[in-house]
């Protein structure tokens, strides 16, 4: 067995059992991957994949049992490379981050600017997407970090570092009747069609539960992953916008009124998610500290060394008191 074979198995799984897609991602040939997987199966004495002709359909029970070991092996090989690079070229390398639209547009720009000044030789790669999509990228090892609010707790392979908390605001066109509502209540808000985030109104979301507890069922006019899209449709009169408060800019959004809604809905927590067992390079610790100043290197390591889910949850809850609110 060799590391290349392990890498091929992981890549095939992560590309939907498409050998062609895995070969493209790894810059190799489809026949080469197929041959190496066959050799690995012969050596291990069992089939890793179920097949229909030449097509790989799914993992066998044998393959499912071995996959965590394959991924752990790949991670440790990656850790060896990272440690070697940190010893020989500590400032040269890559940092790949997957994040949701709000983080990329509002929270990350000053952090990335500061990071670039401190680590000009480090190449940054930013990936945007829906929370479930970006969390999967981190869990599969295709990015180093994921930064998001929703969806991360569905991935047991991720260690979550709570970074900051944020509240919501209501945005309406200037002159809208809601401007006169003082204080703004859920019942008043529920009289108007709402425009909000795609994940915000899922059946498990805090917003959904907040309205449901008051036996309110507001009309949902539109959901979108991007705050700027939400504000565009508010300007078109489609409904009342429910957004992250930090996403309102008094200068750029001067045609909209921003109404405080933090008293109506629970605060949300934005976290950085990292894979279990991932060895961080020096500049990675620095990026986390820039994004979440309450985390130093020791604090990050405490989270990374907490392997039991119960201990991770206790650490997460304990850190909530230290978080800034935006």
């Amino acid at each position: 067995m060799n590391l290349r074979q392990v890498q091929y198995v992981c890549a095939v799984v992560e590309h939907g059992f498409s050998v062609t897609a895995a070969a493209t991602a790894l810059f190799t040939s489809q026949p080469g991957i197929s041959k190496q997987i066959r050799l690995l199966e012969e050596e291990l004495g069992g089939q890793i994949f179920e097949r229909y002709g030449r097509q790989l359909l799914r993992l066998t029970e044998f393959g499912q049992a071995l996959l965590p070991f394959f991924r752990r092996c790949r991670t440790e090989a990656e850790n060896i490379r990272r440690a070697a690079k940190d010893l020989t070229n500590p400032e040269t390398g890559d940092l790949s981050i997957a994040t949701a639209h709000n983080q990329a547009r509002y929270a990350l720009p000053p952090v990335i600017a500061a990071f670039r000044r401190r680590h000009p030789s480090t190449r940054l790669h930013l990936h945007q997407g829906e929370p479930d999509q970006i969390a999967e990228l981190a869990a599969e090892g295709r990015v180093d970090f994921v930064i998001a609010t929703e969806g991360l707790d569905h991935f047991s392979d991720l260690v979550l570092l709570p970074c900051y908390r944020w509240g919501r605001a209501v945005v309406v066109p200037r002159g809208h009747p809601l401007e006169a509502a003082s204080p703004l209540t859920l019942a008043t808000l529920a009289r108007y069609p709402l425009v909000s985030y795609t994940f915000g109104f899922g059946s498990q979301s805090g917003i959904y539960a907040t309205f449901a507890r008051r036996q309110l069922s507001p009309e949902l006019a539109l959901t979108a992953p991007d705050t700027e899209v939400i504000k565009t449709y508010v300007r078109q009169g489609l409904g009342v916008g429910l957004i992250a408060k930090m996403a309102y800019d008094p200068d750029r959004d001067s045609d909209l009124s921003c109404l405080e809604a933090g008293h109506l809905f629970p605060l949300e927590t934005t976290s950085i998610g990292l894979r279990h067992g991932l060895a961080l390079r020096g500049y990675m610790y620095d990026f986390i500290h820039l994004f979440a100043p309450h985390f130093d290197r020791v604090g990050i390591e405490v989270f990374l060394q907490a392997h039991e889910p119960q201990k991770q949850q206790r650490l997460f809850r304990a850190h909530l008191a230290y978080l800034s609110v935006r």
Side-chain angles (χ1 to χ4, degrees):
M1 180 170 56
N2 60 56
L3 184 59
R4 182 175 56 178
Q5 293 168 331
V6 170
Q7 185 182 30
Y8 288 169
V9 170
C10 294
V12 168
V13 173
E14 289 157 6
H15 287 84
F17 301 98
S18 168
V19 178
T20 302
T24 300
L26 295 175
F27 304 101
T28 188
S29 69
Q30 180 179 341
I33 288 183
S34 298
K35 178 182 178 182
Q36 290 300 320
I37 289 176
R38 286 285 193 189
L39 290 173
L40 180 59
E41 288 176 325
E42 290 175 10
E43 180 180 349
L44 297 177
Q47 282 200 341
I48 297 170
F49 295 100
E50 291 184 20
R51 292 172 170 82
Y52 181 76
R54 294 185 177 181
Q55 184 179 0
L56 302 185
L57 301 178
R58 63 185 67 87
L59 287 168
T60 62
E61 288 187 17
F62 181 77
Q64 289 174 354
L66 292 179
L67 183 61
F69 297 98
F70 289 142
R71 283 180 165 162
R72 198 177 308 158
C73 181
R74 183 183 61 175
T75 297
E76 288 304 321
E78 181 183 340
N79 287 342
I80 292 171
R81 294 191 200 94
R82 287 171 183 262
K85 287 179 180 177
D86 239 15
L87 291 169
T88 56
N89 295 290
E91 287 299 319
T92 302
D94 295 85
L95 175 57
S96 55
I97 302 166
T99 188
H101 299 276
N102 272 0
Q103 311 304 325
R105 187 175 185 95
Y106 307 109
L108 278 174
V111 175
I112 288 178
F115 181 83
R116 289 291 300 150
R117 288 193 295 269
R118 295 169 74 157
H119 305 278
S121 299
T122 302
R123 296 178 294 272
L124 276 168
H125 310 278
L126 198 61
H127 307 262
Q128 286 181 244
E130 295 292 316
D132 278 352
Q133 296 170 337
I134 60 179
E136 188 173 356
L137 290 176
E140 293 177 350
R142 294 155 67 184
V143 297
D144 298 307
F145 300 161
V146 58
I147 302 175
T149 302
E150 305 95 347
L152 300 186
D153 53 352
H154 301 313
F155 292 82
S156 59
D157 290 338
L158 295 180
V159 177
L160 301 184
L161 309 179
C163 298
Y164 67 88
R165 308 190 82 182
W166 55 270
R168 286 182 165 81
V170 170
V171 289
V172 294
R174 295 286 182 185
H176 192 280
L178 274 182
E179 288 180 324
S182 181
L184 182 64
T185 66
L186 283 175
T188 304
L189 187 59
R191 296 173 191 162
Y192 298 89
L194 297 181
V195 184
S196 193
Y197 300 115
T198 303
F199 265 72
F201 271 89
S203 60
Q204 304 300 316
S205 74
I207 294 179
Y208 184 93
T210 300
F211 278 111
R213 279 195 296 270
R214 299 292 184 89
Q215 298 182 325
L216 298 171
S217 300
E219 176 191 347
L220 189 58
L222 176 78
T223 63
D226 190 317
T227 305
E228 295 307 310
V229 173
I230 292 172
K231 288 188 280 191
T232 295
Y233 283 99
V234 169
R235 291 183 173 104
Q236 294 298 316
L238 191 66
V240 169
L242 188 56
I243 65 171
K245 186 178 179 180
M246 64 180 174
Y248 176 80
D249 185 305
D251 296 325
R252 189 174 60 247
D253 302 321
S254 58
D255 58 327
L256 299 175
S257 289
C258 180
L259 311 178
E260 177 63 51
H263 61 292
L264 300 181
F265 303 101
L267 292 173
E268 301 284 358
T269 303
T270 291
S271 301
I272 290 180
L274 310 93
R275 274 175 296 147
H276 281 286
L278 180 68
L280 301 185
R281 298 192 61 186
Y283 57 76
M284 294 178 175
Y285 288 103
D286 196 34
F287 180 90
I288 294 172
H289 179 68
L290 286 169
F291 190 73
H294 56 283
F295 273 118
D296 58 15
R297 187 167 186 145
V298 173
I300 295 167
E301 283 299 323
V302 168
F303 270 78
L304 293 178
Q305 297 303 319
H307 300 296
E308 301 84 5
Q310 295 84 357
K311 187 173 183 180
Q312 293 173 25
Q313 291 167 10
R314 287 197 301 270
L315 284 169
F316 190 95
R317 289 193 295 268
H319 271 70
L320 292 181
Y322 297 97
L323 303 189
S324 60
V325 177
R326 303 181 187 180

